[in-house]
Amino acid sequence: MKKLVLSAALLLALSASFTSCREEDKKDAENAMENTGDAIENAAEETEEAVEGGFEATGKAIDDAVNETEEAGESIKDAVNEATDDDNN
């Protein structure tokens, strides 16, 4: 995210430094700055969505791991009970 913002700022600075002061160029520079701003906003929104998706996937993976651990614990308990029942008979 930091690299994206810095790259966008660099592009904005370069576009502003290579334009002259004529009216047409000012409009082009304004359009370029507006487009750069839009690109930054879009990238930020996409990054936010990706992060949210990552958090959701991580939470699901943790829940699955907890469930599997509980199931493994129950299986071990059952195996121990069966082994001790066999020894008592």
Side-chain angles (χ1 to χ4, degrees):
M1 176 74 179
K2 185 176 180 182
K3 288 183 180 182
L4 177 66
V5 173
L6 292 176
S7 297
L10 177 63
L11 288 174
L12 180 64
L14 286 174
S15 67
S17 66
F18 286 115
T19 58
S20 66
C21 295
R22 294 187 325 190
E23 185 64 31
E24 293 175 12
D25 290 339
K26 285 183 182 179
K27 289 181 183 177
D28 289 342
E30 288 173 4
N31 288 338
M33 288 189 298
E34 184 176 320
N35 290 339
T36 302
D38 291 343
I40 291 172
E41 287 178 24
N42 291 339
E45 289 173 5
E46 291 175 7
T47 302
E48 180 182 356
E49 291 171 4
V51 168
E52 288 174 1
F55 285 145
E56 289 175 10
T58 301
K60 185 175 179 340
I62 290 171
D63 289 342
D64 291 345
V66 167
N67 290 337
E68 289 178 12
T69 303
E70 288 175 355
E71 290 173 6
E74 290 174 11
S75 295
I76 291 171
K77 182 179 176 182
D78 292 343
V80 168
N81 286 337
E82 286 180 20
T84 55
D85 288 342
D86 289 342
D87 288 341
N88 289 335
N89 291 330

